[in-house]
Amino acid sequence: MHPPPNSTRRQFLGLAGAAAVLGTAPVVTLRPAEATPEMLASAIRNVTGGVAVKTGKVKLDVPPLVENGNTVPLTVSVAHPMAPEDHVSSIHVFNEKNPQPNIANFHLGPHAGRAQVSTRVRLTDSQKVVAIAKLSDGSFWSASVDVVVTLAACTEEVI
Amino acid sequence: MASALINVPAKAKRGDIIEIKTLMSHIMESGYRHKASGEAVPRDIITGFTCRFNGAEIFRADLFPAIAANPFFSFFTTATESGKFEFEWIGDKGFSETASASITVE
């Protein structure tokens, strides 16, 4: 009377999922031209080890509109004291759409005085930039900024 | 040849928080660019930067191709005693450069 339960559909979906996983594996080894939000998430997981990241404390200064993605000033500051028993131990910066999700990892110590780092980065497209700070107590805090880039960086042809 | 620009205050009071700025000349070739002929330009970036004060590490950075050419860093430290800051950059193709700057703390 009724068609058999969903077992065949489940099997099919399982196979399709496996195929999708197999299908993406070579793409990763070939280094895609663009990172994906999944790669961003996995890069963040590599740093946090799965610990929940709270929003706040971190301030990410990057211009919201960038004319030249080849050199974008970026400053990360963390509103947290730098005392030997309680300090910011590292700051990690990620992007969403560059070929690689990582931008830089900065390792600070209790003698850093102030949890603030500036550098200049490349952005290949309009995208989200994420900064994550790790405190000495093992907690993670983050901030993100959406940046619009008019002239893309780093994947153009060499003339 | 590569060269570094370092900005460290020559003098500070004990306990002051001082800013250190460094700039290293380097192309930071990302490895994602192609020549007109289609062949990829090999990656050539600085992968690590370390700042030590009187031998103890006070700041370190792992770098990726997303860092702009001629990597610039600004960071802070607390002036505790007179001494010497030593800076080291390492990268692809055996790149290695060092620089140093002294500070007098009163």
Side-chain angles (χ1 to χ4, degrees):
Chain A
M1 209 164 92
H2 291 289
N6 274 338
S7 60
T8 52
R9 181 167 174 271
R10 288 223 177 109
Q11 279 163 5
F12 169 75
L13 288 174
L15 284 172
V21 168
L22 288 172
T24 54
V27 177
V28 172
T29 52
L30 283 174
R31 293 196 301 194
E34 237 181 43
T36 60
E38 291 74 43
M39 285 171 68
L40 172 66
S42 101
I44 291 174
R45 257 198 315 280
N46 281 345
V47 165
T48 62
V51 175
V53 179
K54 289 172 263 191
T55 308
K57 282 188 190 265
V58 180
K59 186 158 171 271
L60 175 56
D61 274 318
V62 52
L65 176 64
V66 172
E67 282 187 21
N68 183 350
N70 273 309
T71 169
V72 182
L74 179 146
T75 296
V76 183
S77 47
V78 188
H80 196 78
M82 296 297 283
E85 66 283 359
D86 183 18
H87 58 269
V88 178
S89 54
S90 60
I91 293 173
H92 309 263
V93 188
F94 304 93
N95 66 78
E96 195 177 18
K97 290 187 182 170
N98 278 12
Q100 278 181 277
N102 297 81
I103 292 181
N105 304 320
F106 301 106
H107 304 273
L108 315 176
H111 303 298
R114 186 181 301 165
Q116 180 176 330
V117 179
S118 304
T119 185
R120 296 187 202 129
V121 305
R122 291 177 174 136
L123 296 174
T124 182
D125 200 351
S126 298
Q127 57 183 303
K128 185 166 79 172
V129 178
V130 182
I132 292 187
K134 181 185 184 188
L135 305 189
S136 53
D137 67 3
S139 65
F140 292 89
W141 298 81
S142 79
S144 66
V145 171
D146 288 302
V147 183
V148 175
V149 179
T150 46
L151 176 64
C154 84
T155 43
E156 79 274 26
E157 261 185 12
V158 180
I159 302 156
Chain B
M1 198 60 209
S3 61
L5 279 176
I6 307 290
N7 188 333
V8 174
K11 284 184 177 180
K13 288 203 185 76
R14 195 175 303 275
D16 275 0
I17 294 173
I18 56 167
E19 181 176 20
I20 298 174
K21 296 180 193 164
T22 69
L23 184 72
M24 167 54 75
S25 117
H26 194 282
I27 183 174
M28 294 297 278
E29 182 60 57
S30 68
Y32 296 107
R33 301 201 301 167
H34 294 267
K35 291 181 185 151
S37 57
E39 72 184 288
V41 182
R43 192 183 92 157
D44 182 9
I45 67 165
I46 293 175
T47 51
F49 168 68
T50 312
C51 174
R52 293 183 190 87
F53 181 66
N54 288 348
E57 179 185 297
I58 56 167
F59 178 82
R60 179 164 56 90
D62 313 321
L63 310 180
F64 294 87
I67 295 292
N70 306 323
F72 163 81
F73 299 106
S74 140
F75 52 95
F76 293 81
T77 189
T78 309
T80 51
E81 55 179 349
S82 297
K84 194 163 128 190
F85 290 99
E86 287 171 304
F87 306 91
E88 185 182 20
W89 293 260
I90 53 164
D92 293 338
K93 302 183 179 175
F95 181 90
S96 175
E97 280 288 323
T98 56
S100 65
S102 295
I103 186 168
T104 308
V105 173
E106 294 157 343

